[in-house]
Amino acid sequence: MPLIGYARVSTEDQTPLPQSQALKSAGCAEIHEEQASGGNRARPVLARVLERVAKGDTLVVVRIDRLARSLSHLLEVIERLEAKGAFFRSIQDPIDTASPQGKFTLQVLGAAAEFERALIRERTKAGLASARTKGRVGGNPGLRAKDPAALRKVRLARQDGYMERLNETAQDWVPHVRRLRPDLAWEDVLRIINGPLPEARSWTQSRLQRAVKAYVRDGFLPVEVLARAGRRETDDRLPAIVAGIKGTDPDITLQAICERLEAMRERTPRGRTSWQPSSVKMLLERAERLSLLD
């Protein structure tokens, strides 16, 4: 079972060396280091690691806080790994999703997170009910008066909130959009993005395009990704899709590409639903002849 290590430090003054040494001692032959805030979910190195993890792999960290600073983010990452048939292990914490004990610990954490959300909802409802009995009306007085400054402030706050939510999911879609657009049509890019994601986190085309436009507006993506996709011959479509998957993760295996195509419900050139590595290899060779691979 391949072990993939992930080490993170928050500032340039810190060194990931102690973490890397601990990960190496734990048996990790492959270790990825990153300097980024733990509160930032859109970390490029972590995004690449999660993208390339394959079935049977185990993502290993020294401590949970090196991966996530919130329980919701931790559960989100583990959900992505489970969707790929991969596992998670923390050396200094009792979590190893490959073991029954680790799975139980994870279930307890998930239940605790849900209980915390329920308590917050109940407290909010109780607070609003108490305020109403005292004659206080909720809401912003400026909004009720339709004050332009108040309306603008709320609009900007909503926009900031939207961008924050996008940043939490950026690792799911930004690398694909940056790599594949406008060479591939939105429909094909969407299917590649949704392939490894659980159904609860899948994207619609309109939602994806709105997110991309927001990132282009703020300079996180080049404006070229919004250009119209060029017409492509029918025979070139499958090589383009396979090249897109390979280009986003150069180390992905032929078998992993097969699994991705099956998750996308993409049919083989002969119309079959089950893919074989030999078919993928043939399409990659064709993609190379068409100059679709870097």
Side-chain angles (χ1 to χ4, degrees):
M1 183 182 296
L3 302 181
I4 301 174
Y6 174 74
R8 181 190 63 79
V9 293
S10 299
T11 66
E12 294 181 355
D13 297 333
Q14 298 172 319
T15 173
L17 183 59
Q19 294 179 56
S20 297
Q21 290 175 337
L23 292 169
K24 186 175 181 180
S25 298
C28 296
E30 180 181 336
I31 298 173
H32 301 267
E33 299 177 351
E34 184 162 35
Q35 187 266 305
S37 168
N40 178 16
R41 297 192 181 191
R43 294 174 238 154
V45 174
L46 178 60
R48 288 196 296 271
V49 172
L50 294 177
E51 179 66 26
R52 67 179 295 175
V53 165
K55 183 176 181 180
D57 291 348
T58 298
L59 178 63
V60 185
V61 296
V62 174
R63 297 190 313 274
I64 289 177
D65 66 347
R66 296 302 87 197
L67 176 68
R69 286 286 181 85
S70 68
L71 181 56
S72 63
H73 188 204
L74 173 64
L75 295 175
E76 176 185 314
V77 171
I78 294 177
E79 184 182 73
R80 286 194 66 183
L81 293 172
E82 288 184 336
K84 288 188 167 188
F87 306 99
F88 171 73
R89 181 190 303 172
S90 175
I91 296 175
Q92 296 183 10
D93 302 293
I95 294 185
D96 182 352
T97 60
S99 70
Q101 296 87 350
K103 289 183 178 179
F104 175 75
T105 302
L106 187 61
Q107 290 170 354
V108 171
L109 289 174
E114 179 58 33
F115 179 65
E116 182 182 12
R117 288 192 293 268
L119 284 179
I120 292 173
R121 286 195 296 269
E122 290 302 319
R123 288 169 184 164
T124 301
K125 290 179 181 178
L128 291 173
S130 175
R132 282 193 294 269
T133 60
K134 296 176 182 178
R136 293 201 297 268
V137 180
N140 188 316
L143 293 181
R144 292 200 298 271
K146 296 185 178 180
D147 178 64
L151 292 172
R152 180 175 180 274
K153 186 175 181 180
V154 169
R155 186 171 62 252
L156 291 175
R158 287 176 177 171
Q159 181 177 323
D160 288 343
Y162 175 63
M163 293 302 295
E164 185 175 341
R165 292 192 299 274
L166 285 185
N167 291 339
E168 293 176 356
T169 62
Q171 60 192 14
D172 292 342
W173 55 277
V174 169
H176 295 292
V177 171
R178 190 186 301 276
R179 170 81 187 179
L180 304 177
R181 287 288 305 163
D183 294 330
L184 284 185
W186 284 108
E187 294 85 351
D188 292 327
V189 174
L190 182 69
R191 294 169 69 197
I192 291 174
I193 291 173
N194 284 337
L197 297 180
E199 186 175 353
R201 286 175 48 207
S202 62
W203 292 75
T204 63
Q205 184 171 322
S206 59
R207 180 169 162 245
L208 176 62
Q209 288 177 313
R210 181 189 175 203
V212 171
K213 288 177 182 177
Y215 262 45
V216 169
R217 182 192 63 227
D218 286 2
F220 296 134
L221 283 171
V223 68
E224 290 78 14
V225 299
L226 295 174
R228 179 186 289 272
R231 294 182 62 86
R232 192 177 291 279
E233 296 293 333
T234 304
D235 291 344
D236 293 349
R237 181 177 168 277
L238 278 177
I241 291 176
V242 173
I245 296 174
K246 178 72 173 178
T248 306
D249 183 3
D251 296 324
I252 193 170
T253 64
L254 294 176
Q255 182 60 44
I257 295 178
C258 290
E259 294 170 1
R260 185 75 63 83
L261 291 168
E262 290 172 2
M264 293 166 57
R265 296 194 173 122
E266 190 69 54
R267 291 186 175 271
T268 69
R270 296 185 178 182
R272 297 172 181 169
T273 57
S274 179
W275 283 81
Q276 298 297 324
S278 57
S279 298
V280 173
K281 183 179 179 182
M282 177 190 68
L283 290 173
L284 285 174
E285 291 172 350
R286 177 168 174 77
E288 189 170 6
R289 290 196 298 271
L290 293 171
S291 300
L292 299 176
L293 290 171
D294 292 340

